Amino acid sequence: MNLLTEPGPVPPSTTSLRAESQPSIAIIGGSITGPTLALLLHQAGFTRVSVLEASPSPFAQAGGVIGLDHASLATLETLGIPQAELAPFPSERVTTIRIADRKETGRVHSVYPGRNTAWHVLNSALLNRLPDTWLRTGNRVRSMSIAGNGQALLNLADRTSITADLVVFADGRRSIGRRLLDPTRPLHYAGYVAWRGQLTGNRVGIQDYTRLGAHGGAFHMFPIPRKNGDTGLDWTFYLNMSSEEFSRLLGGDPTQRTFIQPHHVPPMASEEVISWAYQLFPEAVAETISATTDWYATPILDIDPPQRMVHSLGAAHALLLADALAPVRPNTAQGANNGIEQDRALAIALGQHLHHGADLNAALDHWQQRLLPSVHRALQEGPKLSAALGLGRPLADPVPA
Ligand SMILES: Cc1cc2nc3c(=O)[nH]c(=O)nc-3n(C[C@H](O)[C@H](O)[C@H](O)COP(=O)(O)OP(=O)(O)OC[C@H]3O[C@@H](n4cnc5c(N)ncnc54)[C@H](O)[C@@H]3O)c2cc1C
């Protein structure tokens, strides 16, 4: 019985990962949540773990600044990832500048209780530490069904399949797991887009995480290390945009085209975004954007609050984590942090099952009860935080059909 299938060939072979002594675990997604969980499971003594990543090259994806809170940094440190590797720049201080008529009207300084890193720095730090045989890249999970022995059966794009006792979906905003396990919670467009880019050098000479806010747009910038070792500047331009405008500029619905890579951003779209930057912000900001050659876009998405993270599948369990469970608005800086918190608690629950014979259903149920409230909180807070910047659709608005 195929529960959900994406187009693709029928797999001819099956490799069982079942271990006699411990559950076999398949983790879908090799970005942040998936590899963090894999390393925590490795540390907890699990040996039968696979991380399945659709992207062919683990470091191929672009990614911007990720603010990691103290709890996430501590979790990563227990995995042997020192804070200095993730955050080579001092990054607690945040400067927030208010803009009206393209001019500064005031600024405040605050402190972020954590450190900022860049997605590619974090992703490399995690993947470099995975046990050799655990990561399978270029392997999109296409469908899931129940095998004859009750395990979950995952069919992969390379025409193979694997079985597992526990399937963890950490496959992001368009999660195949969510579409299968919780199909009544579709994504809704939040009414604004995060345009992001990176430049070599730090042309504006900033040291702090710097945020400029004008009504209807916000510009964030932060110095980061580039892949080649140079210093760079990472920027994000949050800009209001109707769904129709998004489709006109980027050729698809924002709930379907959830990540637009640089080569897919047409000149017409970048010209329009640059023109908005000139209308909202001082010239130096707009020039930073127009000097960037490779930039990409992420429409911001909302979703109804999840009621559960754990789903039964034959004799197996399937779990939804982080953005696969519920993408939250980036202004909360909670998406990756929630994922790492879920990972840590899950590794503890599974460790209790492995080492002390704890009842797996009870352990997973307890994990879910503890972790769901922070997801609900972030889903509630996101629209309020963005509304304060004049961004996006307020929570009270009717959700478009
Ligand atoms: C502009 C912006 C700023 C943000 N800032 C912050 C911040 O400061 N702090 C914070 O905590 N969070 C932040 N976030 C949120 C954070 O980026 C996400 O929550 C985080 O990336 C989720 O990580 P993940 O590993 O769960 O999923 P993702 O990073 O989305 O990765 C999912 C992975 O699964 C793979 N995949 C997808 N489908 C399949 C499949 N069928 N088979 C196999 N593999 C598959 C993908 O290729 C991808 O590698 C921000 C988000 C945005 C858009």
Side-chain angles (χ1 to χ4, degrees):
M1 177 182 55
N2 251 1
L3 298 175
L4 183 90
T5 305
E6 286 193 333
V10 178
S13 67
T14 296
T15 313
S16 176
L17 293 182
R18 183 167 211 113
E20 290 312 311
S21 55
Q22 56 169 266
S24 52
I25 301 174
I27 299 172
I28 324 300
S31 171
I32 299 174
T33 311
T36 303
L37 177 64
L39 289 173
L40 287 163
L41 292 175
H42 184 247
Q43 196 177 51
F46 286 86
T47 54
R48 301 287 183 167
V49 178
S50 286
V51 180
L52 305 166
E53 166 55 44
S55 163
S57 158
F59 308 127
Q61 298 174 59
V65 169
I66 302 270
L68 294 175
D69 62 23
H70 291 148
S72 294
L73 290 166
T75 299
L76 294 165
E77 215 147 30
T78 67
L79 296 172
I81 304 175
Q83 202 158 301
E85 180 178 334
L86 295 176
F89 297 105
S91 61
E92 269 186 311
R93 291 188 339 175
V94 179
T95 300
T96 305
I97 303 173
R98 284 187 302 280
I99 302 287
D101 293 331
R102 304 172 58 219
K103 293 194 183 61
E104 177 174 345
T105 59
R107 62 174 63 196
V108 288
H109 298 283
S110 54
V111 177
Y112 173 63
R115 289 284 191 275
N116 288 293
T117 187
W119 180 89
H120 68 272
V121 175
L122 177 55
N123 180 254
S124 313
L126 293 165
L127 296 190
N128 287 339
R129 288 167 169 89
L130 276 184
D132 280 349
T133 54
W134 283 21
L135 179 65
R136 292 173 63 173
T137 55
N139 241 318
R140 178 173 292 281
V141 171
R142 285 227 135 100
S143 66
M144 180 166 72
S145 55
I146 302 169
N149 63 359
Q151 285 185 297
L153 176 71
L154 296 167
N155 294 322
L156 310 177
D158 70 356
R159 301 168 61 97
T160 61
S161 60
I162 64 169
T163 56
D165 300 304
L166 189 74
V167 181
V168 179
F169 287 97
D171 54 342
R173 307 192 305 161
R174 294 205 63 224
S175 167
I176 191 174
R178 178 173 3 96
R179 283 183 277 151
L180 160 61
L181 299 163
D182 204 356
T184 58
R185 287 192 309 122
L187 296 166
H188 305 292
Y189 177 49
Y192 65 111
V193 179
W195 301 87
R196 308 185 87 170
Q198 290 179 359
L199 276 174
T200 297
N202 180 352
R203 54 173 35 225
V204 280
I206 54 156
Q207 293 304 318
D208 299 346
Y209 191 109
T210 303
R211 308 187 292 208
L212 290 87
H215 196 81
F219 185 77
H220 293 199
M221 51 189 164
F222 182 66
I224 51 151
R226 307 248 17 218
K227 283 182 194 171
N228 57 10
D230 290 343
T231 298
L233 188 75
D234 182 284
W235 58 263
T236 306
F237 181 16
Y238 295 101
L239 182 65
N240 279 339
M241 185 169 278
S242 70
S243 173
E244 294 71 27
E245 186 72 343
F246 182 96
S247 300
R248 182 180 72 80
L249 290 174
L250 294 157
D253 187 89
T255 59
Q256 301 293 322
R257 300 215 63 197
T258 56
F259 184 75
I260 295 108
Q261 297 196 37
H263 55 281
H264 291 139
V265 176
M268 180 174 68
S270 34
E271 280 158 21
E272 184 135 341
V273 173
I274 290 168
S275 134
W276 270 109
Y278 275 108
Q279 289 173 55
L280 290 170
F281 295 112
E283 214 160 286
V285 165
E287 279 169 0
T288 300
I289 298 177
S290 62
T292 308
T293 45
D294 280 352
W295 31 309
Y296 53 101
T298 314
I300 307 306
L301 301 168
D302 289 330
I303 196 163
D304 289 343
Q307 299 311 311
R308 53 193 313 157
M309 301 166 81
V310 182
H311 298 261
S312 295
L313 197 72
H317 293 89
L319 317 182
L320 298 175
L321 269 68
D323 285 20
L325 177 71
V328 300
R329 292 202 188 181
N331 316 68
T332 61
Q334 276 305 306
N337 286 307
N338 279 351
I340 293 171
E341 188 188 12
Q342 293 159 8
D343 283 341
R344 195 176 59 87
L346 180 59
I348 291 170
L350 294 175
Q352 287 292 315
H353 171 63
L354 180 65
H355 298 298
H356 306 288
D359 181 88
L360 184 59
N361 288 320
L364 292 177
D365 191 50
H366 180 64
W367 169 75
Q368 168 180 272
Q369 299 302 329
R370 271 191 54 205
L371 274 300
L372 268 179
S374 51
V375 178
H376 289 189
R377 242 187 339 269
L379 288 170
Q380 282 283 330
E381 273 171 13
K384 291 182 199 157
L385 292 170
S386 15
L389 299 165
L391 285 173
R393 185 174 56 77
L395 194 62
D397 268 18
V399 170

